Amino acid sequence: MDQQPNGNKGTEGEPATASDRLVADMLGLFNKYERERAAARAAQGDTNPYDLEPYEEVHRLANQFEEARAADRTLEQFLDHLAEDFHFDDVRALRTATAAVQAAMGRIALAAREKGMSPDQIAAETGYTASRIAQFLREEKQRRRDTTQ
């Protein structure tokens, strides 16, 4: 069967029209280019050669937890699934990452504050209370004063 303008395939799954073949060839070349570019970036030490969102999985996990917690009946299932999927090295990595973010929170909050965000806005975005954000800001300002002396 020949490919029709509606997207039907020709014989052996090949596009039948010249324009469909051109599109298929271009997509194939684009995919090859992306793979070669990512391989070259990885060879140069790029740890994110495909420009993926580096914390996407963390966001997904947090969102799934929030959704499960909101729908109380699914929380137990979520936690059981998490317990099956996580290994000790995963737990350690997340705990270490959490500690790193906690240690950097003063810097993060002050940078946001310097860009015009209020402590209340920073608190709303991060899940901390405004008073905890204010504490982070004070501590970071003191740290900076101590380092410049």
Side-chain angles (χ1 to χ4, degrees):
M1 176 184 351
D2 289 336
Q3 179 155 357
Q4 303 299 317
N6 64 8
N8 292 332
K9 297 286 184 185
T11 56
E12 300 178 27
E14 292 294 320
T17 67
S19 62
D20 290 334
R21 284 190 299 275
L22 176 63
V23 169
D25 289 347
M26 288 175 62
L27 288 174
L29 288 171
F30 180 75
N31 288 335
K32 182 179 179 184
Y33 165 78
E34 284 293 313
R35 286 191 307 272
E36 289 174 355
R37 185 170 156 252
R41 289 174 62 181
Q44 293 174 354
D46 187 340
T47 58
N48 189 14
Y50 286 100
D51 293 325
L52 302 175
E53 173 59 45
Y55 305 110
E56 184 175 347
E57 291 298 318
V58 175
H59 286 274
R60 184 176 298 125
L61 178 61
N63 290 336
Q64 289 171 348
F65 177 65
E66 290 295 326
E67 290 170 7
R69 194 164 55 175
D72 193 39
R73 66 187 183 282
T74 61
L75 181 59
E76 291 300 318
Q77 290 174 321
F78 172 78
L79 295 175
D80 288 342
H81 179 71
L82 198 62
E84 290 172 8
D85 286 350
F86 268 63
H87 300 282
F88 290 135
D89 60 332
D90 299 323
V91 173
R92 183 181 189 95
L94 283 173
R95 288 179 50 87
T96 303
T98 300
V101 170
Q102 178 74 20
M105 194 56 218
R107 291 169 170 89
I108 295 167
L110 189 56
R113 187 75 180 106
E114 289 169 346
K115 291 177 183 172
M117 289 183 75
S118 72
D120 287 336
Q121 290 172 318
I122 298 167
E125 291 287 325
T126 61
Y128 285 103
T129 63
S131 62
R132 184 66 176 113
I133 294 299
Q135 182 181 4
F136 281 133
L137 292 169
R138 283 190 305 275
E139 291 169 355
E140 179 57 19
K141 287 175 184 177
Q142 183 61 49
R143 185 193 70 78
R144 287 186 182 185
R145 277 191 297 272
D146 292 347
T147 17
T148 59
Q149 294 177 0

